[in-house]
Amino acid sequence: MTRRETRGVTGPEAFKVFGHPLRMRLYRALHLSRTGTASQLAYQVGETVSLVSYHLRKLADHGLIDEAEGQGDGRERWWKLASEYPAPRAEDLGDTPENAAPQAALGALSFAQRADLYLGYVGTRLTWQADWRAASFSHEYLALLTAAQLAELSREMHDLVRKYESAGRAAEEAGDTEGRERVALHIYGFPFRL
């Protein structure tokens, strides 16, 4: 599989479009399945096909997803991510007061959905096999770093996760799915003051 480059979400309107709860869930579902139809995605997120179709078109209008050509029998439109991750960045909007609200809303929504995903695991932890319970983790590290060190740490962690992500995708494409589960890694690095 060829790795697609990250295009990034740009402009306040694109941040608002991606910052819709259902659109973010659809984007995550497409990231996991790589391609999908409105019907398949509606089933995954528990919404109607017509509602999902509408939100998929909104994502496509802003370049976040594209049609996946050569899929299916032509009766339904297939979708794929336009880039590997949208990677919303504050610098794409600029540090102006009118751009603060879309940035904050997207960050809060993203964090809330990640928290829901983790709390779902916590609530069902005992239903997982012992090896998965032992392998899962939740850590908090509090370090004294410079901005340059935090940026370097981010790059190193990104590269490490990508290594495992790529290995998992390659194994899946080779048909090696035995014992594999989807795994969420939520990593934050930010300054704070006491």
Side-chain angles (χ1 to χ4, degrees), residues 148-190:
Q149 288 172 319
L150 180 57
E152 181 181 355
L153 176 61
S154 174
R155 283 188 298 274
E156 288 179 16
M157 291 174 73
H158 180 79
D159 290 345
L160 180 63
V161 171
R162 286 298 172 107
K163 175 182 127 180
Y164 282 92
E165 204 175 40
S166 294
R169 292 273 187 191
E172 181 184 32
E173 288 172 0
D176 177 13
T177 58
E178 183 69 29
R180 295 187 185 279
E181 297 285 352
R182 290 183 169 98
V183 173
L185 293 170
H186 301 156
I187 303 167
Y188 306 93
F190 55 90

Side-chain angles (χ1 to χ4, degrees), residues 41 52 87 90 101 122 138 140 151 182 191:
L41 294 166
V52 166
V122 170
S138 172
E140 179 179 31
R182 290 183 169 98

Side-chain angles (χ1 to χ4, degrees), residues 78-118:
W78 284 75
W79 298 98
K80 65 178 181 174
L81 300 184
S83 63
E84 204 164 335
Y85 296 102
R89 301 173 306 170
E91 58 266 26
D92 290 335
L93 286 178
D95 294 326
T96 62
E98 63 270 11
N99 292 334
Q103 287 176 336
L106 181 60
L109 176 60
S110 178
F111 181 79
Q113 287 192 355
R114 291 172 186 168
D116 286 346
L117 195 59
Y118 179 67

